[in-house]
Amino acid sequence: MGNAIREKAAAGIVWQLLERFGAKGVSLVVTIVLARLLDPEVYGLVAMATVLTSFLEPLIDSGMNKRLIQKKNVDDVDFSSFFYFNILMSISIYLVVFICAPFVAGFYNNQDLTAVIRVIGLNVLVFGVKAVQKAYVSRNMLFRLFFYATSIGTVLSACAGIILAYKGYGVWALVLQNLINNSVDTVVLWIVVRWRPKAVFSFNKLKDLLSFGWKFLVISLTNTIVDKIRALIIGKVYSAKDLGYYDKGNLFPDTLTSSIEAAINAVILPSLSKTQDNKSSLKQMLRRSIRISMYVLSPINFGLMACAEPLVSIILTDKWLPCLPFMYIFCIRNNFTAINVLNQNVYTATGRSGLYLKIDMIKKVINITLLIICMYFGGIIGIAISILLSTLAYIIVNTIQIKKDLDYGLFQQLKDIVQSSSLAVIMAVVVFVFRFLNLSNWLTVTIQIIVGFTFYVSVSAFLKIDEFEYIVDIFKSLFLSKKLIQRKRK
């Protein structure tokens, strides 16, 4: 990619990482406090309540936000048309949530869920107002604005959630914390983003957005259905406590890895869109993104597996130890999700939503088939394993098309990630050995983190691993650019 795009992408990733890790960091602290104050059943109830809203949330932007990011020429009419359509859709969707809440509660044989669903469903209205600003920020790569908005919303909601939990509000502490977080985030984003809707609307513009976006809407809806159907099955067939363990099993893997994935994904899509007509640049950017993602994610996921048990005991207490099997599975799965996201971004950036939809439908068939088989033979653990196997299968399906388009297939991608993955596994083995020293959990985890980080960085520097040197160069260039700006101001 060109130097201008490269520097803007690098700066964008840094801001996205600050935003995601800042938000996730505070959320993790809040979750830890709440997990100590609340029982697993409470988390299970919230997971049940969010199933309905999760099914309907993709309808809010109808996939049009991706078109606003990908489209070469966009004006205020596009954004305004998207905004007004979105407001209408979010109001309609909330009415559906409000009406269907008693039926969902009846499905779970828990009428207390009716009020919970109706309150947590208010997030749908919030997302409807926020969607256009998010699309504007992403298109223009103004990711520092996300940082401001998310930071304020996360801190304020954290305080509210902890106070409510301490006062004994139980499930409402989680519900209101989530609603306050999204509401404050949206208000701040509207304050810091300069764009405002104009008194214009174009059905032709809307038609263009919908013609591209409806395919991504279908993909998003089916993704949500396939993902949330697992929570629905666990909540119905097993118990709220089991669903709580399942949900918490993904707490640390999601907190540590999804922030990096989201940061890279948010920046890579607009960056790819700017080079969509140059296959050589697309391949180069995709390859670089996959290698860096795996270099950063692999030590986090494998290292987390190595110190999972003492970490859960320290932070969540022993009552949450049954979540460990799920945690191991999600660590492995989350290590490879970035590869799929990055490969899929090529279809989005080049405007081939139809191809994206066809490939996604194939993957959904694989997903459901694996879910049925794994659940039959493995029960609730099998449900989690089916997610891992589906992720690995998705890599194969995605790379078949990428091989045709960019001559960058499965074996080439595996070859690109084998070095960093192997080093991460070796690091995890070294870290795991410290479990046998019979030290306190606090001391064990502290030593594991220090040794793991030092080992991984030192070996990377010694072997002169390309990804390590690339990351170092990016931070050097950002630091030097900042110093030059400061000198010019003086």
Side-chain angles (χ1 to χ4, degrees), residues 42 76 113 116 166 174 246 262 295 365 378:
V42 171
D76 281 336
L113 280 175
V116 174
Y166 184 76
L174 295 176
Y246 176 89
Y295 176 79
V365 173

Side-chain angles (χ1 to χ4, degrees), residues 24-326:
K24 287 287 187 178
V26 175
S27 296
L28 179 60
V29 172
V30 176
T31 300
I32 290 167
V33 175
L34 294 179
R36 287 174 170 270
L37 294 172
L38 305 173
D39 293 326
E41 290 89 344
V42 171
Y43 284 90
L45 288 173
V46 173
M48 291 176 183
T50 55
V51 169
L52 176 61
T53 55
S54 297
F55 285 155
L56 298 174
E57 280 172 12
L59 293 170
I60 294 174
D61 62 44
S62 306
M64 293 188 292
N65 62 330
K66 293 186 182 296
R67 178 57 172 167
L68 286 173
I69 297 172
Q70 182 272 338
K71 191 176 180 182
K72 291 183 178 180
N73 299 308
V74 176
D75 55 27
D76 281 336
V77 181
D78 291 280
F79 279 101
S80 296
S81 300
F82 171 67
F83 173 76
Y84 295 123
F85 176 82
N86 234 26
I87 295 298
L88 179 61
M89 284 296 298
S90 61
I91 294 173
S92 302
I93 292 168
Y94 180 71
L95 290 176
V96 173
V97 171
F98 191 91
I99 294 170
C100 293
F103 300 102
V104 177
F107 175 81
Y108 286 116
N109 297 317
N110 189 335
Q111 290 304 319
D112 292 337
L113 280 175
T114 299
V116 174
I117 293 170
R118 285 174 172 172
V119 174
I120 208 168
L122 291 170
N123 278 312
V124 170
L125 299 175
V126 177
F127 294 151
V129 176
K130 180 181 179 180
V132 66
Q133 300 291 46
K134 287 184 64 177
Y136 183 86
V137 168
S138 295
R139 177 175 178 83
N140 294 285
M141 301 180 76
L142 303 171
F143 297 107
R144 68 184 185 281
L145 302 182
F146 279 146
F147 172 73
Y148 302 144
T150 305
S151 299
I152 297 172
T154 302
V155 171
L156 291 179
S157 65
C159 296
I162 292 174
I163 293 171
L164 290 170
Y166 184 76
K167 293 286 187 179
Y169 282 87
V171 67
W172 290 107
L174 295 176
V175 172
L176 294 176
Q177 180 221 349
N178 180 261
L179 183 59
I180 292 170
N181 189 4
N182 290 320
S183 300
V184 174
D185 185 5
T186 301
V187 170
V188 174
L189 199 59
W190 270 86
I191 293 173
V192 298
V193 176
R194 295 180 179 179
W195 184 87
R196 294 292 182 270
K198 304 297 188 296
V200 292
F201 186 89
S202 170
F203 282 102
N204 288 331
K205 296 280 190 178
L206 184 64
K207 182 179 178 181
D208 174 69
L209 296 175
L210 285 171
S211 64
F212 180 87
W214 76 265
K215 303 178 186 72
F216 288 100
L217 169 62
V218 173
I219 292 168
S220 183
L221 281 172
T222 52
N223 280 340
T224 302
I225 291 171
V226 170
D227 181 48
K228 293 299 178 180
I229 198 172
R230 290 175 168 84
L232 189 149
I233 291 171
I234 295 172
K236 179 65 177 178
V237 177
Y238 298 94
S239 67
K241 179 181 285 188
D242 291 323
L243 182 54
Y245 291 137
Y246 176 89
D247 186 61
K248 276 293 164 288
N250 197 29
L251 171 63
F252 293 113
D254 179 70
T255 299
L256 294 174
T257 62
S258 67
S259 299
I260 298 172
E261 290 175 14
I264 294 174
N265 183 45
V267 176
I268 290 302
L269 176 55
S271 299
L272 287 171
S273 298
K274 295 180 187 301
T275 59
Q276 59 183 279
D277 299 323
N278 189 324
K279 285 192 174 183
S280 176
S281 295
L282 278 174
K283 179 180 178 179
Q284 180 184 359
M285 190 182 298
L286 175 62
R287 187 180 182 190
R288 175 66 70 184
S289 301
I290 287 176
R291 293 179 67 173
I292 291 177
S293 297
M294 294 303 295
Y295 176 79
V296 175
L297 292 172
S298 293
I300 293 174
N301 284 299
F302 291 118
L304 184 56
M305 292 177 68
C307 58
E309 186 172 345
L311 190 66
V312 170
S313 293
I314 292 170
I315 297 179
L316 300 180
T317 71
D318 289 347
K319 70 180 179 182
W320 287 99
L321 286 176
C323 78
L324 284 175
F326 302 112

